Amino acid sequence: MPVEEFVAGWISGALGLVLGHPFDTVKLLGFFKGMSFPIASIAMVNSVLFGVYSNTLLALTATSHQERRAQPPSYIHVFIAGCTGGFVQVYCLAPFDLIKVRLQNQTEPRARPPGSPPPRYRGPVHCAVSIFQEEGPRGLFRGAWALTLRDTPTLGIYFVTYEWLCRQSTRDGQDPSPATVLVAGGFAGIASWVVATPLDVIKSRLQMAGLKRRAYRGVLDCMVSSARQEGLGVFFRGLTINSARAFPVNAVTFLSYEYLLRSWG
């Protein structure tokens, strides 16, 4: 199994996170506060995603990354490989994503009124231990079903969008230019968030349910309850900021991934 795709995915994920972290923490006081935990987790998850995607394509088409411009895989193969990468990454991502959501939804110390209790969690490790103690091992995977439903088809669409845009702007057999990679990666990120946002809302609500002692019976119950209480518009809450973040993050992620593999190949 080629490992360079995993390494390139790790590095490109870290670079994309550096660019996107201010959007993730826009409600906090420091744009780059708390980056060590996200860099470690998102870099690992991106490594799994791109590594599994590329190796699934290798299994389906018997072509390496360097050979795929001369022998482009079908969009069905690209979609299957993207879905496979999305499915596998979920079970690496779920605990990290849960911890990130819990930490980001607790009030910053400077923003709390005088006399209010201290933050529930002192950091990522304390958050993970607390969830494990209070909710058991399954608590660390709260929202994983919604995450699976979100990421499996979404990442298939993500890679198909990227490949289609690259092919539309590049002559057969040639590598796409840096500008093409940036634009294709950026729009692939936006397309994936348009599809993913409804289930991302549900996923976040399921993840916060244990913290608020408010339990949903599952994904469907959370969807129905949310729609009844807040209307259908609730499922697209955060789409604007997610799209604004997605373009530069995924543009940089794909550019660094492609050029790392080209330089090594």
Side-chain angles (χ1 to χ4, degrees), residues 4-5 63-71 175 260-265:
E4 61 265 25
E5 288 91 349
T63 57
S64 67
H65 182 86
Q66 289 78 12
E67 298 168 330
R68 285 180 200 138
R69 294 304 169 196
Q71 305 175 57
D175 289 326
L260 282 168
L261 288 179
R262 287 184 201 179
S263 67
W264 297 337

Side-chain angles (χ1 to χ4, degrees), residues 18-57:
V18 169
L19 188 63
H21 195 67
F23 291 94
D24 273 342
T25 58
V26 70
K27 59 179 172 287
L28 302 182
L29 295 177
F31 270 176
F32 292 94
K33 180 174 182 178
M35 281 194 64
S36 57
F37 172 70
I39 280 181
S41 58
I42 298 303
M44 183 192 77
V45 168
N46 209 66
S47 171
V48 170
L49 171 62
F50 278 86
V52 171
Y53 166 75
S54 191
N55 280 279
T56 302
L57 269 184

